[in-house]
Amino acid sequence: MRLSLTDEGPERSAIAIPELPWETIAGRLEQLTIAILRFDARLEASGLSAGWQSRCDMTEAVRALMLDGHLVDVGDLVLHDAGMDVRSPTHELTRAAAALRSRRTAMARKAPWPVSFDGLAALRGVGGIGSEATASKRRRPDPDDDEAYPAFANDADPWQAHFAEIDAVLDRTTRVLAGETPLPKSRSHLVYDPDQDEAEAEDLWLDLVKRTSHWPAIATAAVAWNSWLDLNLYTRLPWLGLTMAASILRARGLTNHLLPLAAGFKKSRFRPQGREGAKEKLDGFCSVVEEALEIANKDLERLILAKELMGRVTAKTRSNSKLPELVDLFLSRPLVTVPLGAKLLKVTPKAVDLMLHQLGGALPRELTGRTRYRAWGIV
């Protein structure tokens, strides 16, 4: 049953909620919910949740671009994220960095926030012109109006007024970076469809998520993702639909992390064509989550084994050694190079070489096999 728009009175339309055969799908939803809860508990118990999420965000950004038909090297994304590009960033790499930034933004705030109008605007990195932007237009103040001047303007110390203005600018910048007041951007008609009202589509999608909030979390995420595709929201951001589905699972308390749904969708056989019924769409999303959990568990097992092997070496080091920090770097990045380790650990490249030699057999696998550009990673 394809989601359709139906009229709900003179105010606006709403997305029709699909009819699902709960008697036949309840068992699978319960098993999948238990699997997610078990993985989240295992991840928290391992002490590798931060490193796993960091690695997952980077690999998900690369896989999200693959779903859109673009290839991005994960090594280029890691170096770009650290500000160590070896060449000029390509358009695809910039989009992958945007996908990485959106996942980090979703994780930086509390769970319900990403599934909101402000959350959507922050994850996209754009927003409409609000009241603050309209009021920010400067005009000549009235000399007789004391309220028109900043605080401390008439103070004996003239620098105090300048510092107050600087503090106000820093405060506005902090709110922008946090996503509370997104920067307005002009939309070119050569790129965007002027007939498509994305604001109305956002309201319809958020309304659907709210009306299905009493459903099981996986069913809500599945319907939300399918309606996202039906509404064709943000065609230039193909990764955002799966990120929002993962955010719904996090907001409903199944997990404290964002699952690698892009990797699960890439591995699964489900490809929505628009002709499937409601049950087929739900089964397809369940297969995506199952593949994502399998990938996440395998990656966690690799991290646990690598941490155990490298932990035997770090247990014998001095208290001021940088080797444990290098191990944490391996556990939080898909790959590590000598210059990257030197910059993030604030040591010399020679010190990184010595620490790599100190790891010995516990050193992760070398990925490049070249002498001029060497990289190691847990694969």
Side-chain angles (χ1 to χ4, degrees):
M1 175 178 175
R2 183 175 176 81
L3 299 180
S4 59
L5 300 180
T6 59
D7 294 332
E8 282 190 354
E11 297 181 357
R12 66 174 187 177
S13 59
I15 301 177
I17 298 179
E19 296 290 338
L20 295 175
W22 297 107
E23 295 81 2
T24 59
I25 65 175
R28 187 177 186 183
L29 292 179
E30 181 183 14
Q31 293 176 359
L32 198 52
T33 300
I34 294 174
I36 296 176
L37 292 173
R38 285 179 175 175
F39 168 75
D40 193 70
R42 184 187 178 197
L43 183 58
E44 292 291 345
S46 67
L48 295 169
S49 58
W52 178 89
Q53 187 65 69
S54 178
R55 285 169 54 93
C56 178
D57 290 341
M58 292 184 176
T59 55
E60 276 289 282
V62 173
R63 292 185 178 116
L65 267 293
M66 288 183 181
L67 297 178
D68 199 32
H70 301 288
L71 295 178
V72 177
D73 183 48
V74 67
D76 292 339
L77 180 60
V78 172
L79 296 178
H80 178 77
D81 181 60
M84 300 179 60
D85 297 284
V86 294
R87 51 184 174 268
S88 298
T90 61
H91 176 64
E92 290 76 14
L93 180 58
T94 305
R95 296 183 66 193
L100 174 62
R101 185 167 56 251
S102 68
R103 289 183 63 87
R104 288 177 173 173
T105 303
M107 281 296 299
R109 302 290 295 270
K110 291 184 179 180
W113 175 81
V115 192
S116 64
F117 180 79
D118 292 337
L120 280 173
L123 296 186
R124 294 173 57 205
V126 297
I129 300 179
S131 58
E132 293 188 4
T134 305
S136 63
K137 296 181 180 179
R138 294 185 177 274
R139 56 183 177 181
R140 191 178 185 86
D142 185 4
D144 298 330
D145 186 8
D146 294 336
E147 299 296 333
Y149 289 89
F152 312 109
N154 299 321
D155 199 273
D157 185 5
W159 288 105
Q160 196 167 4
H162 294 290
F163 290 146
E165 292 180 356
I166 293 174
D167 291 339
V169 171
L170 292 177
D171 183 61
R172 289 196 301 270
T173 304
T174 302
R175 292 199 301 269
V176 169
L177 294 178
E180 297 176 3
T181 55
L183 289 175
K185 294 185 178 180
S186 59
R187 297 169 61 86
S188 173
H189 294 297
L190 298 176
V191 178
Y192 297 93
D193 185 7
D195 297 330
Q196 184 177 6
D197 190 355
E198 291 186 348
E200 182 181 359
E202 286 177 0
D203 293 337
L204 292 174
W205 186 80
L206 291 173
D207 178 68
L208 176 68
V209 174
K210 182 178 180 181
R211 287 189 292 133
T212 56
S213 60
H214 60 284
W215 282 15
I218 298 176
T220 301
V223 172
W225 180 52
N226 288 318
S227 64
W228 184 285
L229 298 178
D230 290 338
L231 291 172
N232 200 22
L233 269 170
Y234 315 132
T235 56
R236 295 176 59 84
L237 305 176
W239 61 83
L240 197 52
L242 290 172
T243 301
M244 295 308 301
S247 298
I248 291 175
L249 296 178
R250 177 171 173 255
R252 296 291 297 275
L254 289 189
T255 176
N256 294 322
H257 308 85
L258 293 181
L259 296 178
L261 296 185
F265 180 73
K266 182 176 180 296
K267 188 177 179 182
S268 69
R269 297 182 178 180
F270 176 67
R271 294 295 180 269
Q273 302 294 331
R275 302 185 299 268
E276 302 86 359
K279 184 178 184 302
E280 287 74 14
K281 290 181 178 181
L282 179 60
D283 290 337
F285 183 78
C286 289
S287 66
V288 170
V289 177
E290 289 170 353
E291 296 292 348
L293 285 175
E294 183 180 356
I295 294 173
N297 277 295
K298 289 182 178 179
D299 192 33
L300 180 59
E301 290 174 0
R302 286 191 291 264
L303 291 181
I304 292 175
L305 179 59
K307 181 183 178 181
E308 182 180 354
L309 292 176
M310 291 186 287
R312 297 175 183 176
V313 179
T314 57
K316 304 175 183 178
T317 59
R318 301 186 302 272
S319 59
N320 60 346
S321 175
K322 290 282 188 176
L323 187 58
E325 297 182 23
L326 179 63
V327 171
D328 293 337
L329 200 60
F330 276 117
L331 297 175
S332 62
R333 299 292 191 281
L335 59 84
V336 176
T337 63
V338 173
L340 178 66
K343 178 180 180 179
L344 298 182
L345 299 181
K346 298 180 180 180
V347 297
T348 62
K350 182 62 177 177
V352 177
D353 282 328
L354 293 176
M355 286 188 286
L356 293 175
H357 180 72
Q358 188 177 357
L359 285 176
L363 180 66
R365 183 183 302 176
E366 186 174 355
L367 304 178
T368 59
R370 294 183 291 179
T371 56
R372 294 189 61 184
Y373 176 73
R374 305 181 67 187
W376 295 264
I378 301 171
V379 295

